[in-house]
Each structure stands twice: as structure tokens, then as C-alpha cells.
Amino acid sequence: MVPCESLRIMKVTHKLLFALCPMLVLVFIYYSSGKLHLHLWGHKSHVHVETSVSVKVTTDKPKVTTGPNGAHRYGASNDIIRASLHMIEPKMVDIVSAGQIVNSAFDNQGFLLTLDGKLPVELVHQYGNLSTGACKPGFAAAKMAAIFPKFVKPAPMFLDRNFKRLAKVNNYLPPFGLKTQERIIDTILTATKAFGLSPELDRLTCRRCIIVGNGGILANKSLGSRIDEYDIVVRLNEAPVSGYTRDVGTKTTMRITYPEGAIQKPERYEKDSLFVFSAFKPLDFKWLRHIIFREKLVRQGSEGFWKSVAQFVPREPSEMRILNPYFIQEAAFQFIGLPMNNGLMGKGNIPTLGTVAITMALHNCDEVAVAGFGYDMNNPHAPLHYYETVKMSAIKESWTHNISKEKEFLQKLVKASIITDLTKGI
Ligand SMILES: *[C@@H]1O[C@H](CO)[C@@H](O)[C@H](O)[C@H]1NC(C)=O
Ligand SMILES: *[C@@H]1O[C@H](CO)[C@@H](O)[C@H](O)[C@H]1NC(C)=O
Ligand SMILES: *[C@@H]1O[C@H](CO)[C@@H](O)[C@H](O)[C@H]1NC(C)=O
């Protein structure tokens, strides 16, 4: 029911009604759009809400017509008026329905179609006049939300004892969640006891992170000293540091690893870095428990794994963390748009560890850079990794990953200057 009709019941004269109704409608629309805006900021994301509303009274029933933009974004404007009249908090999810976004400025995944490196207007005030070189607090997440309104920043890096409260991961099996693994994770976290970075890094009010990929593109670029300038240096799997420091730097804050990717020779682990475990299958948690409690692996060698795995990791339990699997889920289904497959691992729906690490950084770092990312398929003789002679041509069509779809996502991040790609391979 529109407000005007209920007013009429109150036997106010028609003339007064015509004067009141359009004003009420306007007030409510402005009120509700303002509320929506605030609501969104509270979640650190912001659809830029602009409604142009004109109210015309032609017959004895006033009509509300919204501008094309408003109509597209909101659907029926009457619904909003009704919602705010009855003091129901309007739900953004319902109002910005996916189908209507597609019609406007967003792609199927929900990313803004036109991306450039310019600072969005709404962020100019915050970041426009910071001196160049100063770390910009909240920058990566704010820019991400500007091109991908669904983005919600809070998502802890590592699991802690409250992991069962992480609703988004408790309904999915590995690798997208933790379902069925709760007990073993409890056991593991009882031993690790620590769940943050380091006291110094946790104290920083602005953190710059770099994800160092393993790509051959890192070789002979002498980027080591630039990489070392970052507060947090993330490395992946067995990528070596020793012998390559001129190109890859000396610092390792954390090494994100799954069992098959873990460094096998204990002497090859750097002195201090966090061993961050990322699980892709239930067996991976068993492996971690064995490693932490220094038990002999029940399964011999590589049974159940796709290659041989480390039997020993020279790290104390307090130096081990479990990566929040939400980053795998979000990268796969929200950012890249891989097939859901009912929430189960399936053909081409697992993001690569590098993209998972970038996803983690978008939530937990103020500025994000990458190096050593991207495959140059046009150059089959180029080295695949910076640390071995295997050539690009050796890369096989992967059953698990969808490299080309993943690249589309990473290119959006680069284009919108959300991440800085030091080696320009993305
Ligand atoms: C940037 O400039 C605006 C207007 O001049 C000012 O209000 C704002 O506080 C400045 N921001 C920073 C971070 O210096
Ligand atoms: C890097 O330089 C070394 C020594 O000059 C050379 O042997 C190697 O092939 C180069 N690697 C790449 C990827 O260009
Ligand atoms: C990757 O995604 C594209 C587009 O959705 C699809 O056509 C292709 O088959 C996928 N590749 C793999 C390996 O799943």
C-alpha cells in the first residue's frame, strides 16, 4: 500500500493530499538511499547510489517515476518506499539483484566493466593527497570494493580457536571449507597455540604485502631489494630463496604450502618464517597433524598424494598456521567464477595457490604487490619457474585449475591498480 492511500483514509482533503504525498515520497526516497549508503560503508563496500527521482501528480493517484539509473539499480522504487515506511532495514542483497547489475556497468562476476588505474571519486578524499610512497591504510580493500561491490573486508588470515564461528567455511568440505575436519583442526590448534603473524607485524597500522610467485619471469630482474622492502613477503611452496636472493630477496614472512608442495629437505627451509598450511583435501590435515606431532606418517610415501611429500618440517608448532580456506572458496566462486560443482572439488574449479594468496592479501594487507606471476605461453622456451630449467612448453592442460579464467581475474586487479605487478607478467 502506498502512503498516499492510507492518508486518504484519514479524510484529509484531496488538495492537501496532493501537496503532501510527493513530499513524503521524496523524503522517504532520500532517506532510504542515504541509509543504504551508510549501510554499505559499514561493510566497507559501496555501490555508488544515485537516484534521480521526479514525482508528478497527473491524476488523483500520484505516480512515482525514477530515473533510468535508479530503476535499473533498485527495481521497483515503491518497494523501497514501503520498506522504509515500515522501518524495515532494506537489504542490499535483495535490492541490487545480480541480473540488474549485469544490465548496467558490471560483468557476470560482479566486477565493474570499465576498469582503470584512476582513484575512484569516493576515495579521492581519503587517498588523493597522501604523499607518494606513504602506505595507504585500507587502500587495497577500498579499491576492491569500488570495482566489486560484494567485497567485504574482514576475513582472518589464519584459523584460530574460534574457527567454528566462520560460517562461510563450515558448510563446505575441503578445499572450500572445513566440514568434517573440525576435530583434527581442534587438535592441531591446541598444539600451535599462536594464530597471528608476529607481534611487530600485528601491531603495524598499515601493512604492505608482496606475494612472490614462482614464475621464470622473476629471473635476472634484480628485484630482490625491492621485494625485501615489503612488510610481509609471502612465498609459495618450495620456491627457493638461497642462491636467488638478488632476484627474489632474502626475507620470507610466510611460506604458504600444501603437502605436495612443501620443501622436502629440512636444510632448505629458511631460518624464520611462518609455515602456513593450505589444505586441498581431507588427507592434508592428517599430514599436518603428523608433521606437528612429529609422528611417523601412517601412510607410506606418497599414498593418497599426487607426489611424494615431506616427512619432516623443521618448524615448531608455534610457527605453523592454517590458512583460512575462505580464500580458496572466494577466489574460486566469487572472484574467478569457477564452476560450483555443489561446493565440491571438480574439474577446473580449484584456484592456484598464488591466486589464493593474493585473495588473502586483499583482505589482510593495506597495499598488495605481486612478482613472478603469469605464464608466457607465447614463448615456449621461456623458463616456467625461476629456479629450474623446465620450460614453459612443459605446462600441461590442468584438470584442477583454469589458468585462463584465473588470468582474467588477475588482470582486473592489475587494471584497476588494486595490485602492483612488479614483473608485469599478468
Ligand atoms: C586531503 O585533502 C582534504 C581536502 O583538502 C582534507 O580534508 C583531507 O583531510 C586530506 N587528507 C589527508 C589524508 O591528508
Ligand atoms: C639469467 O642469467 C643467467 C646468467 O647470465 C643465465 O644463465 C640464465 O639463463 C638467465 N635466465 C633467464 C631466465 O634469462
Ligand atoms: C575454463 O573456463 C572456460 C570458460 O568458462 C571453459 O570454456 C574451459 O573449458 C575451462 N577450462 C578448464 C580446464 O576447466
Side-chain angles (χ1 to χ4, degrees):
M1 220 188 213
V2 260
C4 315
E5 277 164 349
S6 26
L7 279 173
R8 193 184 297 140
I9 299 165
M10 296 165 75
K11 293 183 177 155
V12 187
T13 64
H14 268 73
K15 275 180 191 164
L16 187 58
L17 217 177
F18 285 155
L20 265 173
C21 275
M23 278 177 67
L24 268 175
V25 166
L26 269 175
V27 164
F28 280 124
I29 284 172
Y30 273 106
Y31 173 71
S32 58
S33 67
K35 270 194 87 150
L36 285 174
H37 209 92
L38 286 175
H39 193 68
L40 284 166
W41 270 107
H43 284 76
K44 286 234 177 187
S45 72
H46 43 271
V47 178
H48 197 64
V49 176
E50 267 176 280
T51 34
S52 53
V53 181
S54 59
V55 180
K56 284 186 199 136
V57 182
T58 46
T59 63
D60 61 347
K61 272 196 178 177
K63 281 199 179 75
V64 179
T65 53
T66 64
N69 204 14
H72 270 291
R73 292 271 173 101
Y74 285 120
S77 49
N78 272 348
D79 290 346
I80 289 184
I81 300 163
R82 210 174 295 142
S84 43
L85 259 179
H86 293 186
M87 292 305 163
I88 296 164
E89 276 281 310
K91 271 206 221 109
M92 209 44 222
V93 203
D94 299 339
I95 294 159
V96 186
S97 87
Q100 279 153 344
I101 283 181
V102 173
N103 287 338
S104 56
F106 298 87
D107 66 16
N108 288 331
Q109 222 40 57
F111 285 92
L112 207 60
L113 278 171
T114 44
L115 300 174
D116 57 44
K118 283 194 232 114
L119 202 55
V121 240
E122 63 270 31
L123 298 183
V124 168
H125 179 79
Q126 212 175 344
Y127 300 114
N129 46 6
L130 283 185
S131 59
T132 45
C135 182
K136 305 187 227 4
F139 185 72
K143 275 202 111 174
M144 184 65 182
I147 70 154
F148 187 75
K150 277 185 279 185
F151 188 76
V152 176
K153 189 181 181 212
M157 237 183 222
F158 310 129
L159 296 187
D160 63 23
R161 302 304 302 274
N162 292 322
F163 72 90
K164 285 175 196 137
R165 290 189 208 152
L166 300 171
K168 284 168 178 158
V169 291
N170 278 316
N171 292 323
Y172 286 86
L173 293 162
F176 306 114
L178 303 168
K179 205 168 161 179
T180 69
Q181 301 302 305
E182 294 86 353
R183 271 186 54 208
I184 193 166
I185 293 171
D186 260 334
T187 310
I188 290 167
L189 295 181
T190 310
T192 64
K193 291 188 177 71
F195 315 107
L197 286 163
S198 65
E200 303 81 61
L201 289 173
D202 287 334
R203 260 199 306 274
L204 280 185
T205 52
C206 196
R207 297 195 291 223
R208 289 184 152 141
C209 306
I210 185 161
I211 319 298
V212 184
N214 302 354
I217 197 166
L218 252 181
N220 297 343
K221 294 222 163 58
S222 303
L223 284 171
S225 54
R226 273 188 75 190
I227 290 171
D228 280 342
E229 283 169 14
Y230 286 81
D231 303 305
I232 295 178
V233 179
V234 179
R235 299 187 197 275
L236 308 170
N237 284 327
E238 78 269 90
V241 171
S242 170
Y244 302 89
T245 56
R246 195 173 58 96
D247 292 328
V248 306
T250 56
K251 182 166 157 183
T252 306
T253 314
M254 70 176 86
R255 194 175 270 286
I256 307 181
T257 305
Y258 46 79
E260 294 89 343
I263 297 174
Q264 301 208 12
K265 294 198 176 96
E267 66 274 15
R268 282 193 43 221
Y269 280 82
E270 55 271 319
K271 265 206 209 69
D272 39 28
S273 71
L274 288 177
F275 180 87
V276 177
F277 170 79
S278 181
F280 283 84
K281 50 192 181 308
L283 181 60
D284 294 355
F285 284 104
K286 285 216 177 81
W287 175 84
L288 182 63
R289 190 183 58 195
H290 285 299
I291 291 292
I292 286 183
F293 293 99
R294 307 260 158 108
E295 299 161 348
K296 265 215 142 81
L297 286 177
V298 178
R299 286 159 188 268
Q300 283 302 304
S302 59
E303 194 190 330
F305 297 103
W306 49 266
K307 71 190 264 292
S308 68
V309 292
Q311 307 286 312
F312 173 75
V313 172
R315 282 284 175 278
E316 292 305 314
S318 62
E319 299 167 313
M320 296 185 172
R321 304 285 183 274
I322 302 177
L323 190 71
N324 183 351
Y326 177 63
F327 306 124
I328 299 180
Q329 184 189 127
E330 186 183 43
F333 305 140
Q334 300 209 36
F335 292 169
I336 312 174
L338 299 174
M340 281 285 299
N341 192 37
N342 294 319
L344 300 173
M345 182 189 269
K347 184 178 185 301
N349 81 348
I350 308 297
T352 61
L353 195 59
T355 295
V356 173
I358 292 174
T359 302
M360 177 278 283
L362 292 177
H363 287 276
N364 290 285
C365 302
D366 297 276
E367 292 183 22
V368 182
V370 303
F373 273 76
Y375 301 103
D376 183 5
M377 297 298 190
N378 298 324
N379 188 355
H381 300 296
L384 182 59
H385 296 133
Y386 69 79
Y387 48 87
E388 23 173 65
T389 51
V390 176
K391 302 248 187 292
M392 200 65 73
S393 50
I395 198 167
K396 291 181 222 97
E397 174 85 2
S398 168
W399 189 83
T400 42
H401 305 310
N402 193 326
I403 301 297
S404 59
K405 257 189 103 71
E406 196 166 310
K407 192 175 177 118
E408 285 171 23
F409 161 60
L410 296 179
Q411 282 172 339
K412 291 174 197 173
L413 297 184
V414 171
K415 225 168 154 186
S417 300
I418 292 167
I419 61 174
T420 308
D421 181 11
L422 296 191
T423 42
K424 299 191 164 44
I426 292 172

